[in-house]
Amino acid sequence: MSAWLKDETTLRTGAAQHHGVDIFALLRDQSGPQAAQVTAAGAAWLAGAAPYPRSTLAHWEERPKVPGVLPCGSAFDVVNVPALFGRRMLEQLWAEGPGSGPVATHRGRMLLFAAPGTAQRLPSLLAWEEWGTSGSGGGGDSGKQRGAVPPVLCHGTGDAVTVPPLTCVPSESGPRWVVAPDTRSPWLPGPDVLLWACVRVSRSASSPGAAHTIFPRADQGANVYDVTRRR
């Protein structure tokens, strides 16, 4: 994980004093599973996606436990998949692939933060690989061999997504981080990497062997897992 990065440009979001908590001090001093905790550098990266980053940081300082809404297309795109399929994608990305960027969950879906431009390219790659959910354009046996692929929603330029609060209790309902942003320049998977993960999950779904999982059981809360390969 990235170490705490003191950044005076983000610690002072405006001349006026805020009556709320010092969000950056809170992010620095918090304890707990760090894979699911946003750092100050990560908060600065998230705010950079907004039209007015300083105002966004000031708002988060006043309300650190409230979800936010950020536009896609500049700092990141988002690939939105059902939670179970997304968990299996992460298993593939971390066990056999390059890892992932930030990841969040919201309303039974998993949001994988991806490189800008992914939302435009990934759907066509999925269709070309005959992974489309409509079943068009492919042979009759491909679906049986590769397994079913749930709807994959891609959010890019012109779209916005709900992001979890910067600070939250794991037991709370609502959006939360699975892999929280922890650096100003996080590595983000592109469409080719996410296509690979979809292919691996779909093929493994029809495989008789049970794959090893890096996630705890559902009743334990998916907050902590191996991030030694985190970029």
Side-chain angles (χ1 to χ4, degrees):
M1 299 294 292
S2 299
W4 166 254
L5 301 177
K6 185 176 181 180
D7 188 339
E8 296 297 335
T9 62
T10 57
L11 289 174
R12 299 291 180 264
T13 57
Q17 293 184 350
H18 296 290
H19 299 291
V21 299
D22 183 344
I23 184 62
F24 295 104
L26 181 61
L27 294 175
R28 177 190 60 196
D29 298 333
Q30 66 189 342
S31 60
Q34 293 301 303
Q37 299 288 356
V38 181
T39 67
W45 172 73
L46 283 171
Y52 305 101
R54 289 182 177 273
S55 297
T56 300
L57 289 173
H59 174 73
W60 286 344
E61 184 174 342
E62 292 287 348
R63 308 182 69 187
K65 296 186 178 182
V66 176
V69 177
L70 292 176
C72 302
S74 59
F76 55 78
D77 284 357
V78 170
V79 175
N80 182 332
V81 296
L84 180 58
F85 191 80
R87 286 164 64 94
R88 290 173 175 168
M89 286 180 66
L90 284 187
E91 289 170 5
Q92 293 293 335
L93 288 169
W94 284 104
E96 301 182 40
S100 73
V103 181
T105 59
H106 183 44
R107 293 181 177 176
R109 308 278 297 187
M110 188 164 284
L111 310 178
L112 291 87
F113 287 67
T118 298
Q120 182 178 5
R121 292 186 56 202
L122 184 58
S124 59
L125 290 176
L126 288 168
W128 181 74
E129 285 285 346
E130 299 178 357
W131 300 108
T133 57
S134 63
S136 60
D141 295 334
S142 69
K144 296 180 181 179
Q145 295 173 352
R146 298 175 176 177
V149 175
V152 176
L153 307 178
C154 297
H155 308 294
T157 303
D159 300 324
V161 294
T162 299
V163 298
L166 298 187
T167 61
C168 59
V169 179
S171 61
E172 291 180 349
S173 59
R176 62 182 178 85
W177 293 107
V178 177
V179 181
D182 65 350
T183 174
R184 278 182 171 273
S185 301
W187 178 80
L188 299 173
D192 51 343
V193 173
L194 294 176
L195 174 68
W196 172 85
C198 286
V199 169
R200 295 301 294 264
V201 171
S202 184
R203 287 178 178 172
S204 65
S206 58
S207 173
H212 173 71
T213 177
I214 61 174
F215 288 96
R217 296 182 181 274
D219 58 354
Q220 297 176 355
N223 287 321
V224 183
Y225 59 92
D226 183 10
V227 293
T228 56
R229 299 177 60 198
R230 176 91 177 267
R231 293 196 181 186

